[in-house]
Amino acid sequence: MNKRYHSKLEELPLSDSTQQIEVFLENSTDSGTTNHNDMDSVNQTEDAVMKLMMEFFSEEMLPVFGITQKATAFTLTEEIHLELKKGYLDFNLVMENGSISHFEFQSTNGGKKDLRRFRTYESNLSYILQKPVTTYVLFSGKIKRPMTKLKEGINTYRIHPVIMSQQNADHLLEELRSKVSRGEALTRKDLVRLPLLPIFGGKSSQLERIQTAFEFTTKAEQVSKEDVEKIEAAIYAMATKFLNHTELEQIKGGVKMTYLGQLLVEEGRKEEKKNTERERLRAEKAEMDAKKAKEDAKKAEKELRELKKQLGLA
């Protein structure tokens, strides 16, 4: 979270972040275990993936949500009120017309309760920044007809819903296959949608979507290695939540061919090297301890002989 107190408010220009993929993977996976019924974990991963993609690829992501304006800056994502009550906002962008686009990522449908919460975030943000705010709520899961307006008193509050299941994963995969078959280069705009495949609609299985997503990342020769690594990390994080253990094993072969696979192999080698070094140091310490114990025993034996002489027992 970007933490900003109201008295120190500043807008953050869009720039390349140095966030490490290793940290993202560590925070977005379950140490190699998958609990298909753990919905809280799934929801947290969807949020993490969405925020990662928005942070690095907002220019390409906004059209996916039907937003034609360009973003010019990030702005605060945490509000701290005088009564010490915190409000966490998923993501905020300053648009080219000066307005604020506030994004919420929802895997559950909270109805009026959520709308009241969004309205509070929006009104506080508008008051602090003195700018108009529009809230876009990205609904994933099986949510298809969420509550989008709340009428209370003389006022009506509205959000702009983006139903992720209305995007068709099968159509996207076919579009990219056709592009590759025509010999056209895949771009960042093509790749940024790949981590979202598990929450799109369509008839293809999650396994097929994720396997094909990794195949496309290896074909994106004109996209920078750094961008591909971030996208692959996001795909992998979603895979750990939407695939079971057997399915995860099936995608390992494909992952090995990706930048992410190379990164994981390198991390494995580093860990193996660390383990080897730890074993070497442990063996050295054991040898030194044994040597010291032997020396102590000889010293004790010598002192015992001297004592016996003094007592006339030798």
Side-chain angles (χ1 to χ4, degrees), residues 9 24 82 98 100 131 141 148 216 247 253 262 269 297:
L9 179 64
F24 174 74
L82 290 178
I100 306 297
K131 294 180 179 179
T148 61
F216 284 134
E247 291 170 330
Q262 297 169 22
R269 287 174 179 165

Side-chain angles (χ1 to χ4, degrees), residues 93-104:
L93 295 175
V94 180
M95 310 307 289
E96 57 187 350
N97 65 356
S99 67
I100 306 297
S101 288
H102 165 53
F103 295 87
E104 289 285 337

Side-chain angles (χ1 to χ4, degrees), residues 152-167:
E152 290 190 328
I154 63 173
N155 299 310
T156 300
Y157 171 69
R158 291 182 174 83
I159 61 165
H160 191 292
V162 180
I163 313 299
M164 302 305 293
S165 62
Q166 291 180 352
Q167 303 262 5

Side-chain angles (χ1 to χ4, degrees), residues 11-177:
E11 294 176 359
L12 305 177
L14 290 172
S15 62
D16 291 333
S17 171
T18 58
Q19 176 179 354
Q20 297 299 310
I21 295 177
E22 293 92 334
V23 176
F24 174 74
L25 286 173
E26 180 181 351
N27 293 337
S28 302
T29 60
D30 288 334
S31 302
T33 61
T34 302
N35 184 346
H36 211 56
N37 296 320
D38 188 357
M39 290 309 297
D40 287 339
S41 181
V42 171
N43 297 347
Q44 291 171 7
T45 298
E46 289 181 20
D47 283 358
V49 168
M50 286 289 196
K51 290 174 183 177
L52 176 82
M53 299 303 291
M54 288 292 285
E55 178 177 356
F56 291 106
F57 308 106
S58 60
E59 182 178 347
E60 290 83 9
M61 286 289 288
L62 292 180
V64 177
F65 309 139
I67 301 173
T68 57
Q69 283 199 66
K70 293 183 178 180
T72 60
F74 299 114
T75 189
L76 81 169
T77 55
E78 180 177 337
E79 299 173 358
I80 300 181
H81 306 288
L82 290 178
E83 65 269 25
L84 302 181
K85 183 176 181 181
K86 291 185 179 180
Y88 290 99
L89 289 69
D90 279 356
F91 217 89
N92 296 310
L93 295 175
V94 180
M95 310 307 289
E96 57 187 350
N97 65 356
S99 67
I100 306 297
S101 288
H102 165 53
F103 295 87
E104 289 285 337
F105 310 126
Q106 289 293 110
S107 300
T108 57
N109 188 4
K112 289 183 178 180
K113 183 178 180 180
D114 278 349
L115 289 179
R116 290 191 176 104
R117 177 164 58 90
F118 300 154
R119 181 179 61 175
T120 300
Y121 291 164
E122 187 174 306
S123 61
N124 285 330
L125 191 62
S126 179
Y127 176 74
I128 296 164
L129 299 179
Q130 294 294 295
K131 294 180 179 179
V133 179
T134 300
T135 296
Y136 294 84
V137 183
L138 279 55
F139 291 100
S140 61
K142 297 181 179 180
I143 303 173
K144 294 183 178 180
R145 300 180 64 184
M147 188 175 182
T148 61
K149 64 180 179 179
L150 176 68
K151 184 173 177 57
E152 290 190 328
I154 63 173
N155 299 310
T156 300
Y157 171 69
R158 291 182 174 83
I159 61 165
H160 191 292
V162 180
I163 313 299
M164 302 305 293
S165 62
Q166 291 180 352
Q167 303 262 5
N168 193 295
D170 302 334
H171 292 170
L172 171 57
L173 293 176
E174 185 56 37
E175 173 190 331
L176 297 186
R177 287 192 189 99

